[in-house]
Amino acid sequence: MSHETVKGDAFENLLREERQFAPSPEFAAAANVKEGIYAEANADRLAFWAEQARTRLTWSKDFTETLDWSDPPFAKWFVGGEVNAAYNALDRHVENGLGDRVAIYFEGEPGDTETITYADLTERVKRAANAFEALGVAKGDRVAVYLPMIPEAVVTMLACARIGAVHSVVFGGFSSEALRSRIDDAEAKLVVTADGTFRRGKPSPLKPAVDEALAEDGHTVQHVLVVRRNKQDVAWTEGRDLDWSEAMASASPEHTAVGHDSEHPLYILYTSGTTGKPKGILHTTGGYLTQCAFTHSAVFDLKPETDVYWCTADIGWVTGHSYVTYGPLINGATQVMYEGTPDSPHQGRWWEIVEKYKVSILYTAPTAIRTMMKWGSDIPAKYDLSSIRILGSVGEPINPEAWMWYREVIGAGKAPIVDTWWQTETGAIMIAPLPGVTSTKPGSAQVPLPGIAVDVVDEAGAAVPNGHGGFLVVREPWPSMLRTVWGDPQRFKDTYWSRFEGMYFAGDGAKKDDDGDIWLLGRVDDVMNVSGHRLSTTEIESALVSHPWVAEAAVVGAADETTGQAVVAFVILRGEAELPSGEGADAEIIQTLRNHVGHEIGPIAKPRHILVVPELPKTRSGKIMRRLLKDVAEGRDPGDATTLADPTVMQKIAADLRK
Ligand code: 6R9
């Protein structure tokens, strides 16, 4: 584990950031949560969460115990309670007379639109629930979801939740290989996909990847349900493949939701860890929904009657689960869902959408903000963004420049920015300012939410004093915490609960400033963060060495102005490999290897640069010194290499790169 991130000079500069922005008195007065909430939660943490669970959700059976922590780190929240996620997100709003409220304004990439009310969405989910059951999907079965950002993604997730099936959403940018390994790990019975989507004005396929994933026997999939989105011709396996519209048309629009146990599995979501194999993070029902609903209301100050909320995250990531599907719908929000990229057909597309739907709460990632900043302030300036009143950030640390730009250019210098720290594993937001309470600081996620026990500790697990850095931990179980790693409870314990006794180790470095506010400093393990997406160095290394030309590979995340980090790979080629030769051979090798990574994992994992090197720097115990490679990748002099087994390696690499 490297600690350099904890001490970096860049962060010393960061911590000199002294600007602070207090909420306006009007904003503070009208805010959903007030200062007193911290004291209330501190007085009795479990009572606080029990109250949130009971007021934010409708339980079909009340729980008898708030937390069972008798077998740590395996937590049970709201024990004995029964609750249905889909009922809470849909039916109860309709029963409360809100059926005509818009749930989703869908904006397709080609410009087609759809306005879906809570009544419409409820009916669609009921039909889908019946259709899934008709295909033999029962409570506890797993359903793989490989869909673009279209309403059917939300419908599918909620239909699964309704019948107690466990969804496993696989990001549409992942390859067929990645999809297959996730299908196999979860033993999915059904795959829900689409013919494809649209990207920059052109159809972009999805179903062929499903076909490729299922080409080899030995999988558990019985049916593939296909949404016709881009209407391109796709291969069809009779008996296995079914048309979504036909299945929905023949399904009944009536379906009664029954409560599921509070600890019933809701979904699995795979995320990159420090080893090659992605981890299936398991979330369950009652606690997860409670924290999603609470945080979505408190952190974004949601006023469901008047706000138009837009979270730009794809459904394939945890942000899309908690803050597109579950949090907003449970809270009865009206939200925008957009299928495409921010620059198609022009770089003002997002701001056009904000203007069109009068978006008042925007939740996005620093990488997007930096990209927009690069495109220029004159682009958003062309649109009326006056509806915006809250801005959210998630996925990676936001640098103060981007934060200020976001506030000034998008938020007209007055919308509070909530920088939200959390993870796939935490399920919901853990650290964030409360917009009506906290004086925000550009670049800091600042304070743990009420009822959340986050701390920064040193190597020995002792809390660091203000002004010092260390490792981010969570000291007490929280409602939306992951319950285990699917099929691998030992890995759950080893990865998160073994580094510090009795504490959850997040894998992030952090620092407390003089006020005790928390500044996130990036990962301290071998996980990279590229455009807010988690990628494992090991996973990409395994993909590279699976190519017959590659003998060895080392991957590092190099600092990048726009994407946070960029993937840089160092490879040693096999002496005996039949490599391309002649003019253009080097470029061909590199292109082939980049494509190979794209094929094995997905386009987002393709290295920005691949450097062919004669050797890799290793310690005497055989560990690759990624720190030195990072120096090279970031254009610095690697300096001291004396701990290497062969101290001349770095010179050889440098000489090779100069060639
Ligand atoms: C929600 C999500 C989790 C990792 C996390 C951290 C980084 C997320 C952040 C942030 C600084 C923030 N991260 N939010 N770093 N400030 N506001 O992104 O989940 O994809 O699992 O990534 O992302 O390094 O450990 P996930």
Side-chain angles (χ1 to χ4, degrees):
M1 191 169 298
S2 83
H3 302 159
E4 64 238 84
T5 42
V6 179
K7 310 190 205 115
D9 286 347
F11 299 110
E12 296 304 326
N13 296 335
L14 248 185
L15 296 171
R16 269 185 239 121
E17 175 62 58
E18 275 172 358
R19 286 170 288 200
Q20 281 203 40
F21 300 92
S24 71
E26 305 80 65
F27 194 104
N32 287 354
V33 293
K34 310 282 196 287
E35 174 103 55
I37 196 167
Y38 292 106
E40 183 199 330
N42 283 340
D44 188 340
R45 214 174 67 85
L46 293 183
F48 170 79
W49 284 119
E51 156 96 6
Q52 295 305 326
R54 290 198 175 100
T55 53
R56 298 190 185 271
L57 299 179
T58 305
W59 296 75
S60 46
K61 187 168 159 225
D62 192 16
F63 49 92
T64 50
E65 191 186 358
T66 301
L67 169 67
D68 174 354
W69 191 235
S70 58
D71 179 25
F74 300 96
K76 292 195 180 104
W77 280 88
F78 310 125
V79 184
E82 288 179 3
V83 63
N84 187 293
Y87 174 82
N88 274 274
L90 302 165
D91 310 48
R92 65 168 178 162
H93 301 313
V94 179
E95 287 168 13
N96 290 337
L98 303 175
D100 291 337
R101 180 182 290 171
V102 174
I104 298 175
Y105 286 118
F106 173 66
E107 176 87 11
E109 131 103 15
D112 57 320
T113 62
E114 211 182 341
T115 299
I116 305 169
T117 64
Y118 272 91
D120 296 336
L121 195 61
T122 306
E123 188 191 313
R124 290 188 200 193
V125 169
K126 288 179 175 177
R127 282 183 190 272
N130 285 320
F132 293 0
E133 283 180 333
L135 292 175
V137 178
K139 182 164 175 169
D141 286 344
R142 275 79 60 203
V143 174
V145 184
Y146 191 63
L147 282 168
M149 276 303 278
I150 55 176
E152 287 80 359
V154 172
V155 171
T156 298
M157 292 164 84
L158 290 175
C160 287
R162 191 172 188 94
I163 63 177
V166 182
H167 57 73
S168 163
V169 181
V170 180
F171 176 56
F174 279 129
S175 68
S176 60
E177 302 277 330
L179 175 62
R180 174 64 185 257
S181 71
R182 286 156 174 77
I183 287 173
D184 286 350
D185 188 70
E187 299 176 290
K189 210 172 188 179
L190 172 71
V191 179
V192 184
T193 189
D195 45 11
T197 176
F198 298 92
R199 272 287 167 278
R200 304 206 161 83
K202 292 198 199 75
S204 157
L206 272 173
K207 172 132 192 313
V210 177
D211 292 332
E212 205 181 312
L214 301 180
E216 228 168 89
D217 287 346
H219 59 74
T220 45
V221 174
Q222 294 172 0
H223 291 288
V224 177
L225 200 50
V226 186
V227 178
R228 303 284 191 163
R229 169 62 188 146
N230 67 11
K231 311 281 193 309
Q232 297 293 294
D233 278 342
V234 286
W236 207 256
T237 304
E238 283 309 324
R240 186 196 73 183
D241 297 353
L242 299 154
D243 181 285
W244 170 280
S245 316
E246 284 171 19
M248 296 307 136
S250 59
S252 161
E254 302 299 334
H255 186 278
T256 307
V258 297
H260 300 297
D261 189 90
S262 180
E263 282 300 332
H264 184 67
L266 183 63
Y267 69 81
I268 304 167
L269 183 58
Y270 289 83
T271 190
S272 296
T274 49
T275 69
K277 192 172 173 271
K279 296 178 288 236
I281 301 301
L282 181 73
H283 284 291
T284 60
T285 310
Y288 173 80
L289 298 176
T290 298
Q291 198 172 326
C292 282
F294 165 68
T295 53
H296 183 255
S297 169
V299 176
F300 300 109
D301 191 44
L302 178 85
K303 312 279 196 254
E305 304 78 24
T306 47
D307 275 318
V308 177
Y309 165 85
W310 181 20
C311 167
T312 65
D314 190 278
I315 219 83
W317 309 108
V318 74
T319 308
H321 284 60
S322 304
Y323 299 105
V324 175
T325 300
Y326 291 106
L329 295 175
I330 285 174
N331 288 340
T334 294
Q335 69 177 315
V336 171
M337 181 179 204
Y338 171 53
E339 181 183 23
T341 52
D343 56 352
S344 185
H346 55 80
Q347 294 177 336
R349 183 78 189 262
W350 274 19
W351 315 119
E352 193 175 71
I353 292 174
V354 167
E355 178 180 280
K356 176 171 171 188
Y357 296 104
K358 301 197 167 41
V359 170
S360 55
I361 305 173
L362 179 68
Y363 190 27
T364 192
T367 183
I369 299 164
R370 290 192 296 263
T371 302
M372 308 273 173
M373 219 171 122
K374 211 164 58 184
W375 290 344
S377 308
D378 53 319
I379 297 175
K382 288 187 209 136
Y383 300 89
D384 178 5
L385 308 182
S386 61
S387 52
I388 288 182
R389 63 178 202 92
I390 288 265
L391 294 169
S393 174
V394 61
E396 50 178 323
I398 177 166
N399 46 308
E401 297 70 39
W403 195 103
M404 286 305 299
W405 185 87
Y406 199 27
R407 182 179 163 95
E408 296 301 329
V409 179
I410 308 303
K414 56 176 198 280
I417 294 181
V418 285
D419 177 5
T420 63
W421 180 90
W422 59 294
Q423 308 178 293
T424 306
E425 293 86 342
T426 70
I429 299 170
M430 303 288 279
I431 309 176
L434 290 177
V437 179
T438 318
S439 287
T440 54
K441 294 180 181 174
S444 171
Q446 295 185 291
V447 269
L449 289 181
I452 299 294
V454 165
D455 206 348
V456 181
V457 299
D458 64 18
E459 290 277 351
V464 302
N466 288 354
H468 288 76
F471 304 94
L472 192 74
V473 296
V474 190
R475 288 188 178 280
E476 299 287 343
W478 64 101
S480 63
M481 65 194 272
L482 75 164
R483 297 304 195 260
T484 190
V485 171
W486 182 258
D488 201 347
Q490 192 57 44
R491 193 169 175 200
F492 168 61
K493 286 188 184 172
D494 293 346
T495 311
Y496 304 106
W497 301 92
S498 65
R499 177 72 179 79
F500 300 106
E501 175 78 33
M503 292 179 236
Y504 169 85
F505 173 45
D508 280 12
K511 188 150 183 166
K512 291 181 194 165
D513 69 14
D514 292 338
D515 303 324
D517 282 327
I518 295 172
W519 297 70
L520 276 307
L521 305 181
R523 303 286 305 188
V524 293
D525 55 17
D526 292 337
V527 176
M528 293 173 291
N529 191 326
V530 178
S531 296
H533 299 153
R534 267 165 78 169
L535 295 170
S536 145
T537 52
T538 327
E539 202 181 346
I540 299 176
E541 286 165 5
S542 324
L544 283 165
V545 291
S546 74
H547 193 281
W549 294 347
V550 179
E552 226 183 325
V555 167
V556 297
D560 180 276
E561 259 187 23
T562 307
T563 57
Q565 286 188 313
V567 180
V568 178
F570 295 80
V571 297
I572 303 177
L573 297 175
R574 277 178 195 276
E576 72 276 23
E578 279 183 40
L579 297 165
S581 56
E583 203 174 320
D586 288 354
E588 191 188 332
I589 293 172
I590 287 166
Q591 200 47 44
T592 305
L593 297 180
R594 289 188 74 238
N595 291 343
H596 179 69
V597 173
H599 180 261
E600 293 291 304
I601 305 173
I604 47 164
K606 280 187 185 178
R608 167 91 48 92
H609 300 293
I610 295 184
L611 306 170
V612 175
V613 292
E615 264 173 274
L616 290 170
K618 288 190 186 158
T619 61
R620 290 179 191 95
S621 63
K623 248 179 157 307
I624 294 174
M625 293 279 285
R626 288 202 180 70
R627 182 178 61 78
L628 300 179
L629 293 175
K630 213 171 145 119
D631 285 340
V632 173
E634 293 176 350
R636 278 188 307 274
D637 174 6
D640 183 20
T642 47
T643 55
L644 293 180
D646 174 0
T648 63
V649 166
M650 290 314 290
Q651 288 151 20
K652 286 185 203 152
I653 291 177
D656 216 56
L657 294 179
R658 277 195 299 270
K659 269 196 245 156

